[in-house]
Amino acid sequence: MSIRDALLKLSDAQALTSTADSENTIDFGAGLDAFGVARTAPELGDGKPVYLNVVVDTTLDSSGGTATLTVTLYTGATSGAITTAAFATAAIAEASLNSGYIIMSMPLPLGLSRYLKLTYTVGTENFTSGNIDAWTGMEPVRAG
């Protein structure tokens, strides 16, 4: 089990019924490069991958059983403009979205800007209940 830093959590048992952004954004900071020049993109992980993990905390349910969920990672150079899509899942059927289901556990893609957020896009019909956890860390989530 990995250690989770509160500053690197995007969603902590975030209730999800309709389309919403993650309850938190992450600021990786601008920092300086090896020559002391300001950078706009973070250098993460000291050469090791940093993982984006998104897991269903509590089963997502809808009244008709036909809801879908798409998760999109957005990045931006300022906290007010986190609008560049970096990655998105395909629409995931409600039948898969049970407690513990790993929506994604992948290394963060290259070329990200300073700020990150997720958008949870609900399709077909809204969920009536369910929660999502999302964080970045040095380890992927393992099923089990």
Side-chain angles (χ1 to χ4, degrees):
M1 178 175 173
S2 64
I3 297 173
R4 295 186 198 174
D5 185 322
L7 296 176
L8 299 176
K9 287 183 183 177
L10 291 157
S11 296
D12 186 11
Q14 180 176 343
L16 186 63
T17 54
S18 59
T19 296
D21 288 339
S22 55
E23 60 193 357
N24 299 309
T25 60
I26 295 177
D27 177 359
F28 284 118
L32 304 174
D33 67 14
F35 303 103
V37 177
R39 316 178 263 109
T40 57
E43 292 181 13
L44 304 173
D46 195 27
K48 298 179 181 104
V50 175
Y51 289 86
L52 172 61
N53 300 298
V54 182
V55 178
V56 176
D57 178 61
T58 305
T59 299
L60 292 162
D61 287 315
S62 68
S63 60
T66 62
T68 62
L69 178 65
T70 302
V71 180
T72 306
L73 171 67
Y74 285 94
T75 187
T78 65
S79 62
I82 309 172
T83 56
T84 303
F87 179 82
T89 66
I92 303 166
E94 178 182 336
S96 296
L97 297 170
N98 297 310
S99 179
Y101 178 78
I102 300 169
I103 295 171
M104 71 171 74
S105 184
M106 59 174 250
L108 287 172
L110 298 175
L112 297 175
S113 295
R114 178 174 176 167
Y115 295 91
L116 298 181
K117 74 173 182 180
L118 295 175
T119 296
Y120 306 109
T121 304
V122 176
T124 309
E125 65 177 323
N126 286 339
F127 292 108
T128 55
S129 63
N131 299 339
I132 297 285
D133 288 332
W135 70 97
T136 59
M138 299 306 291
E139 298 177 355
V141 174
R142 291 182 171 78

